[in-house]
Amino acid sequence: MSPAYWQNVVQKKNLGRLITDEEVIELNENKAQKALEATSSAKKFCDNIDEMEIMCLTRKEGSGGKLFGKVSSKDIISELAIILGSSFPTSITKKVKLEIEGGCEVIKNTGEWKVKVKVTGFEVFGSFILKVVGG
């Protein structure tokens, strides 16, 4: 930022202020603490998923084991949030990526599927078996 812009705009309209070296150190410490908390919550989340082992979803079924509609990653994540309750960290919801066995993005049939969970940015993994049944 140029000194002229600082004096004529930012300082006059109280849009910013100079911070001291101590404040910079404090901000960096707070940032490191938040990153550590996020990493520990991601690890705890994957541990809870590994303990769960099997998750069962019930969907409407047509003939031949085909589902009316589909089961997407978004459906699975929302069901995980319901099952895990308060141990599901909302801060990492958008970072949770699911890899369904067979490379498919959505599930259109009943059966059992192995699902791998990865929390991007933390390199934390977990897995469980998803059982889709007709009902």
Side-chain angles (χ1 to χ4, degrees):
M1 177 180 312
S2 71
Y5 184 76
W6 167 256
Q7 288 176 344
N8 296 327
V9 178
V10 176
Q11 216 171 17
K12 281 185 181 177
K13 295 181 180 179
N14 288 327
L15 298 176
R17 66 178 182 90
L18 294 174
I19 59 173
T20 63
D21 291 337
E22 292 83 23
E23 290 174 319
V24 171
I25 291 170
E26 184 180 335
L27 287 172
N28 288 337
E29 287 173 355
N30 289 343
K31 187 176 179 181
Q33 181 67 26
K34 285 182 182 179
L36 185 63
E37 289 173 2
T39 303
S40 67
S41 69
K43 286 180 183 178
K44 184 179 177 185
F45 169 68
C46 284
D47 289 342
N48 288 340
I49 286 180
D50 284 335
E51 289 174 8
M52 185 173 58
E53 293 181 15
I54 296 178
M55 182 172 95
C56 189
L57 286 177
T58 304
R59 296 287 191 250
K60 286 188 179 180
E61 177 185 14
S63 61
K66 297 257 184 196
L67 296 175
F68 287 117
K70 60 187 178 186
V71 177
S72 66
S73 295
K74 200 175 207 180
D75 297 331
I76 298 169
I77 291 173
S78 64
E79 193 68 26
L80 279 172
I82 292 169
I83 291 171
L84 295 177
S86 63
S87 63
F88 186 83
T90 56
S91 61
I92 64 167
T93 304
K94 293 184 179 180
K95 296 181 180 188
V96 174
K97 303 295 179 200
L98 299 179
E99 184 180 309
I100 301 170
E101 175 184 50
C104 57
E105 300 216 356
V106 294
I107 297 173
K108 297 181 181 179
N109 299 322
T110 58
E112 290 188 0
W113 306 86
K114 184 168 183 160
V115 179
K116 294 181 183 175
V117 179
K118 177 183 178 186
V119 182
T120 56
F122 300 105
E123 301 307 318
V124 180
F125 303 95
S127 65
F128 64 95
I129 294 173
L130 175 68
K131 187 173 183 179
V132 180
V133 295

